[in-house]
Coordinates of all heavy atoms in Angstrom, one line a residue:
A295 N 46.8 -12.6 -48.8 CA 47.0 -11.3 -48.3 C 48.5 -11.0 -47.9 O 49.0 -9.9 -48.2 CB 46.1 -11.1 -47.0
V296 N 49.1 -12.0 -47.3 CA 50.6 -11.8 -47.0 C 51.4 -11.6 -48.2 O 52.3 -10.8 -48.3 CB 51.1 -13.0 -46.1 CG1 52.6 -12.9 -46.0 CG2 50.4 -13.0 -44.8
G297 N 51.0 -12.4 -49.3 CA 51.8 -12.3 -50.5 C 51.6 -10.9 -51.2 O 52.6 -10.3 -51.7
I298 N 50.4 -10.4 -51.2 CA 50.2 -9.0 -51.7 C 51.0 -8.0 -50.9 O 51.6 -7.1 -51.5 CB 48.7 -8.7 -51.8 CG1 48.0 -9.5 -52.9 CG2 48.5 -7.2 -52.0 CD1 46.5 -9.2 -53.0
A299 N 50.9 -8.1 -49.6 CA 51.7 -7.2 -48.8 C 53.2 -7.3 -49.1 O 53.8 -6.2 -49.1 CB 51.4 -7.5 -47.3
Q300 N 53.7 -8.5 -49.3 CA 55.1 -8.6 -49.6 C 55.4 -7.9 -50.9 O 56.4 -7.2 -51.0 CB 55.5 -10.1 -49.7 CG 55.5 -10.8 -48.3 CD 55.8 -12.2 -48.4 OE1 55.6 -12.8 -49.5 NE2 56.2 -12.9 -47.4
R301 N 54.6 -8.1 -51.9 CA 54.8 -7.5 -53.2 C 54.7 -6.0 -53.2 O 55.4 -5.3 -53.9 CB 53.8 -8.0 -54.2 CG 53.8 -9.5 -54.5 CD 55.0 -9.9 -55.3 NE 55.0 -9.4 -56.6 CZ 55.9 -9.5 -57.5 NH1 57.0 -10.3 -57.2 NH2 55.9 -9.0 -58.7
L302 N 53.9 -5.5 -52.2 CA 53.7 -4.0 -52.1 C 54.8 -3.4 -51.1 O 54.8 -2.2 -50.9 CB 52.3 -3.7 -51.7 CG 51.2 -4.1 -52.6 CD1 49.8 -3.7 -52.1 CD2 51.4 -3.4 -54.0
G303 N 55.6 -4.3 -50.5 CA 56.6 -3.8 -49.6 C 56.2 -3.4 -48.2 O 56.8 -2.7 -47.5
V304 N 55.0 -4.0 -47.8 CA 54.5 -3.7 -46.4 C 55.3 -4.6 -45.5 O 55.7 -5.8 -45.8 CB 53.0 -4.1 -46.3 CG1 52.5 -3.8 -44.9 CG2 52.2 -3.2 -47.3
S305 N 55.6 -4.1 -44.3 CA 56.3 -4.8 -43.3 C 55.7 -6.2 -43.0 O 54.5 -6.3 -42.8 CB 56.4 -4.0 -42.0 OG 56.9 -4.8 -40.9
Q306 N 56.6 -7.2 -42.9 CA 56.1 -8.6 -42.6 C 55.5 -8.6 -41.2 O 54.5 -9.3 -40.9 CB 57.3 -9.6 -42.6 CG 57.6 -10.0 -44.0 CD 56.6 -10.9 -44.6 OE1 56.2 -11.9 -44.0 NE2 56.1 -10.6 -45.8
L307 N 56.1 -7.8 -40.3 CA 55.6 -7.7 -38.9 C 54.2 -7.2 -38.8 O 53.3 -7.8 -38.2 CB 56.5 -6.9 -38.1 CG 56.2 -6.7 -36.6 CD1 56.2 -8.1 -35.9 CD2 57.2 -5.8 -35.9
V308 N 54.0 -6.1 -39.6 CA 52.6 -5.5 -39.6 C 51.6 -6.4 -40.2 O 50.5 -6.6 -39.6 CB 52.6 -4.2 -40.4 CG1 51.2 -3.6 -40.5 CG2 53.5 -3.1 -39.7
V309 N 52.0 -7.1 -41.2 CA 51.1 -8.1 -41.9 C 50.8 -9.2 -40.9 O 49.6 -9.6 -40.8 CB 51.7 -8.6 -43.2 CG1 50.9 -9.7 -43.8 CG2 51.9 -7.5 -44.2
G310 N 51.8 -9.7 -40.2 CA 51.5 -10.8 -39.3 C 50.6 -10.5 -38.2 O 49.8 -11.3 -37.8
L311 N 50.8 -9.3 -37.7 CA 50.0 -8.8 -36.5 C 48.6 -8.5 -36.9 O 47.7 -8.5 -36.0 CB 50.6 -7.6 -35.9 CG 52.0 -7.8 -35.3 CD1 52.7 -6.5 -34.8 CD2 52.0 -8.8 -34.1
T312 N 48.3 -8.2 -38.1 CA 47.0 -7.8 -38.5 C 46.3 -8.9 -39.4 O 45.3 -9.4 -39.0 CB 47.0 -6.5 -39.3 OG1 47.9 -6.5 -40.4 CG2 47.5 -5.3 -38.3
V313 N 46.9 -9.1 -40.6 CA 46.3 -10.0 -41.5 C 46.2 -11.5 -41.0 O 45.2 -12.1 -41.2 CB 47.1 -10.0 -42.9 CG1 46.5 -11.0 -43.9 CG2 47.1 -8.6 -43.5
V314 N 47.3 -11.9 -40.3 CA 47.2 -13.3 -39.8 C 46.1 -13.5 -38.8 O 45.4 -14.4 -38.8 CB 48.6 -13.7 -39.3 CG1 48.5 -15.1 -38.6 CG2 49.6 -13.8 -40.4
A315 N 46.1 -12.5 -37.9 CA 45.0 -12.6 -36.8 C 43.6 -12.5 -37.4 O 42.7 -13.2 -37.0 CB 45.2 -11.5 -35.8
M316 N 43.5 -11.6 -38.4 CA 42.2 -11.5 -39.0 C 41.9 -12.7 -39.9 O 40.7 -13.1 -39.9 CB 42.1 -10.2 -39.9 CG 41.9 -8.9 -39.1 SD 41.5 -7.5 -40.2 CE 43.1 -7.4 -41.0
G317 N 42.9 -13.2 -40.5 CA 42.7 -14.4 -41.4 C 42.2 -15.6 -40.6 O 41.3 -16.3 -41.0
T318 N 42.8 -15.8 -39.4 CA 42.4 -16.9 -38.6 C 41.0 -16.7 -37.9 O 40.4 -17.6 -37.5 CB 43.4 -17.3 -37.5 OG1 43.7 -16.1 -36.7 CG2 44.7 -17.8 -38.1
S319 N 40.6 -15.4 -37.9 CA 39.2 -15.1 -37.4 C 38.2 -15.1 -38.5 O 37.0 -15.0 -38.3 CB 39.2 -13.7 -36.8 OG 40.0 -13.7 -35.6
A320 N 38.7 -15.3 -39.8 CA 37.8 -15.2 -40.9 C 36.7 -16.3 -40.8 O 35.5 -16.1 -41.2 CB 38.5 -15.4 -42.2
P321 N 37.0 -17.5 -40.4 CA 35.9 -18.5 -40.3 C 34.8 -18.1 -39.3 O 33.6 -18.3 -39.6 CB 36.6 -19.8 -39.7 CG 38.0 -19.6 -40.2 CD 38.3 -18.1 -40.1
E322 N 35.2 -17.5 -38.2 CA 34.2 -17.0 -37.3 C 33.3 -15.9 -37.9 O 32.1 -15.9 -37.7 CB 34.8 -16.4 -36.0 CG 35.4 -17.4 -35.0 CD 36.8 -17.8 -35.3 OE1 37.3 -17.5 -36.4 OE2 37.4 -18.4 -34.4
V323 N 33.9 -15.0 -38.7 CA 33.2 -14.0 -39.4 C 32.1 -14.6 -40.4 O 30.9 -14.3 -40.3 CB 34.1 -13.0 -40.2 CG1 33.3 -12.0 -41.1 CG2 35.1 -12.3 -39.3
A324 N 32.6 -15.5 -41.2 CA 31.7 -16.2 -42.2 C 30.6 -17.0 -41.5 O 29.5 -16.9 -41.9 CB 32.6 -17.1 -43.1
A325 N 31.0 -17.8 -40.5 CA 30.0 -18.6 -39.8 C 28.9 -17.8 -39.1 O 27.7 -18.1 -39.1 CB 30.7 -19.6 -38.9
S326 N 29.4 -16.7 -38.4 CA 28.4 -15.9 -37.7 C 27.5 -15.1 -38.6 O 26.3 -14.9 -38.3 CB 29.2 -14.9 -36.7 OG 29.7 -15.6 -35.6
I327 N 28.0 -14.6 -39.7 CA 27.2 -13.9 -40.7 C 26.2 -14.9 -41.3 O 25.0 -14.5 -41.4 CB 28.1 -13.3 -41.8 CG1 28.8 -12.1 -41.3 CG2 27.2 -12.9 -43.0 CD1 29.7 -11.4 -42.3
A328 N 26.6 -16.1 -41.6 CA 25.7 -17.1 -42.2 C 24.6 -17.4 -41.1 O 23.4 -17.6 -41.5 CB 26.4 -18.3 -42.6
S329 N 25.0 -17.5 -39.9 CA 24.0 -17.8 -38.8 C 23.0 -16.6 -38.6 O 21.8 -16.9 -38.5 CB 24.7 -18.0 -37.5 OG 25.6 -19.1 -37.6
A330 N 23.5 -15.4 -38.7 CA 22.6 -14.2 -38.5 C 21.7 -14.2 -39.7 O 20.5 -13.9 -39.5 CB 23.5 -12.9 -38.5
L331 N 22.1 -14.4 -40.9 CA 21.3 -14.4 -42.1 C 20.2 -15.5 -42.0 O 19.1 -15.3 -42.5 CB 22.1 -14.7 -43.4 CG 22.9 -13.5 -43.9 CD1 23.8 -13.9 -45.0 CD2 22.0 -12.3 -44.3
G332 N 20.5 -16.6 -41.3 CA 19.5 -17.7 -41.2 C 18.7 -17.5 -40.0 O 17.9 -18.4 -39.6
G333 N 18.8 -16.3 -39.3 CA 17.9 -16.1 -38.1 C 18.4 -16.8 -36.9 O 17.6 -17.0 -35.9

């Protein structure tokens, strides 16, 4: 995600504040969705 943002000229600061935080939260997203699907 950061690489694409760099190629598209998006601010590194904006990417770090949004994509990095969301990226490190991605495991929680995946694990909680899998748990919800499993009841």
Side-chain angles (χ1 to χ4, degrees):
V296 170
I298 286 181
Q300 290 175 338
R301 297 290 295 179
L302 297 177
V304 179
S305 167
Q306 281 289 306
L307 182 58
V308 173
V309 172
L311 297 172
T312 55
V313 178
V314 171
M316 279 190 294
T318 56
S319 293
E322 283 90 344
V323 176
S326 288
I327 287 178
S329 299
L331 285 173

